[in-house]
C-alpha cells in the first residue's frame, strides 16, 4: 500500500526531529508542508522524474489524505528531501546523514528517469556493396541519422 501525503509529511517532520510526543503538528503546519510537498513533486516532474504522484491543479484541490501512488523505492528520497525543505522554516539544523541520504535518493531517481540517446551510424558512412542504390535511394552513404531528442507539443523534450 503506497504512502499517503500525510504519511510523507509526518515522516519528514520526524526526520528533522519535530514529531512524536514533544511536538504536535498543527493544521497550518500540515497545510504548509503539503504545499511544499506538492511543489517539490511538481519540480521533480518538470525535471523528468515521473513518479505517478497526484499533482493538484491548485493548492485548494490538494487532499492530504490522498494516496500518493509513488513506487516504494522513492519513499526515502521524498521524505528526506521534504525534511530538508521544511527544516529551514522551523530553524532546524539538518544532520549530515540526512543530507547524504537525500542527495543519494534524488540522484537515484534522476538516474532512473534518464535514458541514453540511441547510437546511430554517421551520415558519412559508405553504404557498401550489399546496399544496392536502386532498391532504396541513389545515395552512396547510409541515410543520415535522425535526431532522437525532439521537442514535443507540450514544450518538453521527448525521445523518439
Amino acid at each position: 500500500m503506497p504512502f499517503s501525503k500525510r504519511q510523507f509529511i509526518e515522516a519528514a517532520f520526524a526526520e528533522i526531529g519535530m514529531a512524536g510526543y514533544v511536538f504536535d503538528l498543527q493544521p497550518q503546519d500540515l497545510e504548509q508542508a503539503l504545499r511544499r510537498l506538492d511543489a517539490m513533486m511538481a519540480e521533480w516532474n518538470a525535471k523528468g522524474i515521473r513518479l505517478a504522484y497526484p499533482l493538484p491543479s491548485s493548492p485548494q484541490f490538494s487532499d492530504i489524505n490522498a494516496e500518493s501512488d509513488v513506487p516504494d523505492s522513492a519513499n526515502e528520497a521524498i521524505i528526506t528531501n521534504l525534511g530538508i525543505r521544511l527544516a529551514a522554516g522551523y530553524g532546524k539544523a539538518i544532520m549530515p546523514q540526512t543530507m547524504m541520504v537525500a542527495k543519494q535518493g534524488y540522484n537515484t531517481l534522476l538516474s532512473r528517469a534518464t535514458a541514453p540517446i540511441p547510437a546511430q551510424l554517421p551520415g558519412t558512412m559508405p553504404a557498401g556493396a550489399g546496399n544496392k542504390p536502386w532498391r532504396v535511394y541513389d545515395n552512396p552513404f547510409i541515410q543520415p541519422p535522425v535526431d532522437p531528442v525532439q521537442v514535443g507539443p507540450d514544450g518538453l523534450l521527448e525521445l523518439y
Side-chain angles (χ1 to χ4, degrees), residues 21-40:
Y21 63 92
V22 178
F23 182 78
D24 291 329
L25 295 173
Q26 300 299 318
Q28 60 268 21
D29 295 327
L30 293 173
E31 273 302 312
Q32 179 188 13
L34 178 61
R35 284 193 300 274
R36 297 296 303 263
L37 175 62
D38 288 341
M40 181 180 75

Side-chain angles (χ1 to χ4, degrees), residues 124-135:
T124 57
M125 178 168 280
N131 292 309
K132 306 298 181 193
W134 60 85
R135 290 187 185 159

Side-chain angles (χ1 to χ4, degrees), residues 22-153:
V22 178
F23 182 78
D24 291 329
L25 295 173
Q26 300 299 318
Q28 60 268 21
D29 295 327
L30 293 173
E31 273 302 312
Q32 179 188 13
L34 178 61
R35 284 193 300 274
R36 297 296 303 263
L37 175 62
D38 288 341
M40 181 180 75
M41 298 308 290
E43 177 187 340
W44 287 7
N45 194 31
K47 290 183 178 181
I49 302 174
R50 311 270 195 271
L51 295 174
Y53 182 85
L55 290 172
S57 59
S58 174
Q60 293 84 10
F61 299 130
S62 187
D63 180 18
I64 195 165
N65 295 316
E67 296 278 326
S68 65
D69 295 330
V70 300
D72 292 339
S73 59
N75 289 348
E76 190 71 22
I78 293 171
I79 291 167
T80 53
N81 280 286
L82 180 61
I84 289 171
R85 290 175 187 235
L86 293 174
Y90 293 95
K92 288 291 197 173
I94 302 164
M95 299 297 295
Q97 181 182 3
T98 301
M99 293 179 72
M100 182 185 68
V101 170
K103 180 72 174 155
Q104 287 176 347
Y106 178 75
N107 287 341
T108 301
L109 292 177
L110 200 56
S111 67
R112 285 183 46 216
T114 59
I117 296 174
Q120 296 185 2
L121 297 174
T124 57
M125 178 168 280
N131 292 309
K132 306 298 181 193
W134 60 85
R135 290 187 185 159
V136 182
Y137 56 91
D138 194 17
N139 189 351
F141 299 102
I142 298 290
Q143 288 182 330
V146 176
D147 184 15
V149 179
Q150 297 179 2
V151 178

